[in-house]
Amino acid sequence: MKLQMPLLRILPFLLCLTSFAQVNIIIEDESKTGFLLGVNGYVQNTEPVSLLMIKGLDTVPTQLLVELQPRVYFTKIIDLHEKGNYKYVVTTNSRDELQLRYRGTLSKIPEGILAMEVQRVLAMEQKEPIITASVKSDQAEIVPQLSSPTPAPVIPTKEIVHTKKVDSIATAKPKPVVIKIDTAQNQNKVVAIKPAAEPKDTLVIKVNPFDAFITDLSKTEFEFEKLQKSEAYAKNHNFTLEELKQVFNILSYDNSRLTLVRSVKGSFKDVSQMKVLAEELDYEISKAQLEEILKS
């Protein structure tokens, strides 16, 4: 009995710590068409909803699967470390690509929301997707498949040249073709001279390195890879403001965008021009941080 007493005193403290370590997520579908949610391979809601709250998540990396239509879905891994109510929205970007965007923490729970504890009972059925929606975020492979090793960033050279084989590479002037004439029978005829055909020109196709880079970047799944490729590209090429806006549109988080600004601002003669990038940031605090970066 004496040994049990200390455990009874410590148990409420341990339960308190466990409760503090749990987080809640709120997902809203801005299209209002409704979605089904899976968490770590388990079904949460069986009927489509446009607003859902999942309570009691642990502070470890968690995989979400958002299904908008049968076999049309995307996945995202979240990694939250502090207790709170974290809100996400299902929306689309300018290219009509689906994305799960983080909107911050809520101090008050919206009225009429469907709230439930995280479910770990019904495993999700393995389905082959018709379409895996493109997500502007840190995506993960469909559960339970494992993702393949990440390839090294592909950075295009300044100019890619494709050549076409030509008929002749002679540099000397081609010899004429002389037609022999019987002078005995044709004394008044003139010798006919036919020059050789001119060599064909080499066909050179130039590919814009930024177009190749942005195409590769848009196919990249994970946020840290997008940032690595962007910084690697910037070492060999100077971004224009319009190009930076396109990169910002592919990056998912303001932190990544601000990190890229720190890396490339030295290539701009007038950094004050970069203030227009504030329009591409999601939060006011990020816009204030941009001003501080440009001043430093």
Side-chain angles (χ1 to χ4, degrees), residues 103 148 157 289:
R103 292 304 189 205
S148 57
T157 56
Q289 289 175 354

Side-chain angles (χ1 to χ4, degrees), residues 257-274:
R257 298 172 184 132
L258 294 175
T259 299
L260 183 59
V261 169
R262 292 188 184 95
S263 300
V264 305
K265 75 170 187 175
S267 63
F268 285 82
K269 294 182 179 179
D270 184 6
V271 294
S272 62
Q273 297 177 350
M274 301 179 73

Side-chain angles (χ1 to χ4, degrees), residues 162-226:
H162 302 281
T163 59
K164 181 180 178 181
K165 186 177 180 181
V166 296
D167 294 340
S168 173
I169 57 172
T171 55
K173 194 172 182 179
K175 295 181 180 180
V177 177
V178 180
I179 301 175
K180 294 183 179 180
I181 300 176
D182 188 348
T183 56
Q185 298 179 2
N186 304 282
Q187 295 180 357
N188 296 325
K189 289 186 178 180
V190 180
V191 176
I193 301 176
K194 182 181 179 182
E198 293 293 332
K200 296 181 180 179
D201 294 332
T202 300
L203 179 62
V204 178
I205 302 174
K206 296 182 179 180
V207 178
N208 187 323
F210 179 76
D211 290 343
F213 159 72
I214 208 71
T215 299
D216 177 59
L217 191 67
S218 63
K219 297 177 181 178
T220 303
E221 295 184 354
F222 297 102
E223 183 76 0
F224 75 93
E225 285 186 84
K226 295 177 186 178

